[in-house]
Amino acid sequence: MKLYVKLIEKELKYRSEEDQLSYLKRVIPGLENAYGVKAAKITVLAKKVKAKLERECISPDDQRLLISYLLASGVHEKIILAVEMLSLGEFKEVEDVVDMIDMSLPAISNWGVCDTVANRVCKSMASLRSVEEADFDYMMKPKLYMMVRSTNAW
């Protein structure tokens, strides 16, 4: 996994822009760890990394391990990259989306990450064809309630 982490760090540094870093620090209060990579470039990178992992037959468990590392890194772009990679997974059941939320929630520390998680969760829920209202109520409402009641402003 260290090889992939180094690859991701290299790609993020390559795509970083000083102007973007200044912008992020202005609009995200308290942001300390960031490269300065635009969201659109992170989305493209997520697809590229995910494709590389699959091409090289990296197991889903090892992919989740990499994503967990990125989420725990504390680096803005690595966290968004991890959420983007999670959203590229296959969602067949509501539980799959709940797993994505569970992995992402601890990493939400600013509005940029929060918006990315919310956008990807909505996209993932919309991709499910068999979502029953009862499934949504049972699986998602407690998560949403927990987010609303959280002491974390994000």
Side-chain angles (χ1 to χ4, degrees):
M1 271 315 117
K2 288 183 181 181
L3 173 69
Y4 295 103
V5 171
K6 294 290 181 197
L7 170 74
I8 288 167
E9 290 171 348
K10 179 181 173 186
E11 291 289 334
L12 288 171
K13 285 177 187 172
Y14 175 74
R15 288 170 167 73
S16 67
E17 300 173 23
E18 196 61 41
D19 290 347
Q20 179 67 10
L21 180 58
S22 295
Y23 170 76
L24 289 172
K25 287 185 175 185
R26 253 191 346 267
V27 298
I28 302 175
L31 182 68
E32 294 178 18
N33 297 320
Y35 287 96
V37 181
K38 292 182 178 177
K41 291 182 179 182
I42 296 172
T43 301
V44 170
L45 180 59
K47 291 175 183 175
K48 180 179 172 183
V49 171
K50 184 80 170 160
K52 181 174 180 61
L53 293 171
E54 290 175 3
R55 211 174 33 253
E56 295 180 3
C57 300
I58 303 301
S59 74
D61 287 342
D62 285 342
Q63 290 184 38
R64 286 178 74 86
L65 183 65
L66 175 62
I67 289 169
S68 294
Y69 169 80
L70 295 171
L71 286 168
S73 71
V75 178
H76 182 72
E77 289 87 350
K78 286 182 182 180
I79 294 167
I80 291 179
L81 178 70
V83 172
E84 292 283 358
M85 289 172 63
L86 272 173
S87 75
L88 294 171
E90 290 199 24
F91 300 99
K92 296 180 178 129
E93 303 292 333
V94 175
E95 290 86 358
D96 298 331
V97 178
V98 171
D99 287 345
M100 182 178 107
I101 295 169
D102 286 341
M103 284 187 75
S104 303
L105 276 179
I108 297 175
S109 61
N110 63 59
W111 66 264
V113 175
C114 183
D115 285 0
T116 302
V117 171
N119 180 286
R120 297 307 176 228
V121 167
C122 292
K123 175 184 161 198
S124 301
M125 286 298 292
S127 73
L128 296 175
R129 295 189 178 20
S130 63
V131 177
E132 301 276 334
E133 188 173 330
D135 288 339
F136 182 81
D137 287 350
Y138 176 74
M139 300 297 289
M140 298 301 289
K141 278 190 178 175
K143 299 288 179 192
L144 298 173
Y145 182 74
M146 182 179 78
M147 291 168 66
V148 169
R149 300 281 305 194
S150 172
T151 57
N152 182 345
W154 302 109

